[in-house]
Amino acid sequence: LGLSIDAFARRIWLHYPYLPPTLRELEIVGMRIGNNASVDLALPRYPDGVGVDVRSRTGDVDVCMLK
């Protein structure tokens, strides 16, 4: 998946995200970052790679992707 979390900086990183060939999309619901932040993410497969959609965000958290 290429996912890393920096809880101190309240940042989620997706580094060159990938999905197994059998998955068209992955949803992550209620991922908590630190004490007061959470996100819901969808990672859909596209012809040229994997994207990230922030479906919900509570608190101060950044979602970053490096492709």
Side-chain angles (χ1 to χ4, degrees):
L1 186 59
L3 178 79
S4 64
I5 299 170
D6 183 344
F8 182 74
R10 296 183 186 156
R11 185 169 294 132
I12 298 168
W13 275 100
L14 292 150
H15 299 271
Y16 306 101
Y18 61 92
L19 293 174
T22 56
L23 290 179
R24 291 183 341 147
E25 182 174 279
L26 176 67
E27 289 190 35
I28 301 171
V29 178
M31 178 184 287
R32 301 215 23 117
I33 310 300
N35 293 328
N36 301 322
S38 67
V39 294
D40 295 346
L41 302 174
L43 294 113
R45 179 186 305 283
Y46 294 111
D48 62 341
V50 174
V52 61
D53 297 325
V54 178
R55 300 245 169 113
S56 173
R57 178 188 333 236
T58 303
D60 183 23
V61 59
D62 293 321
V63 178
C64 306
M65 182 166 65
L66 179 62
K67 262 185 143 175

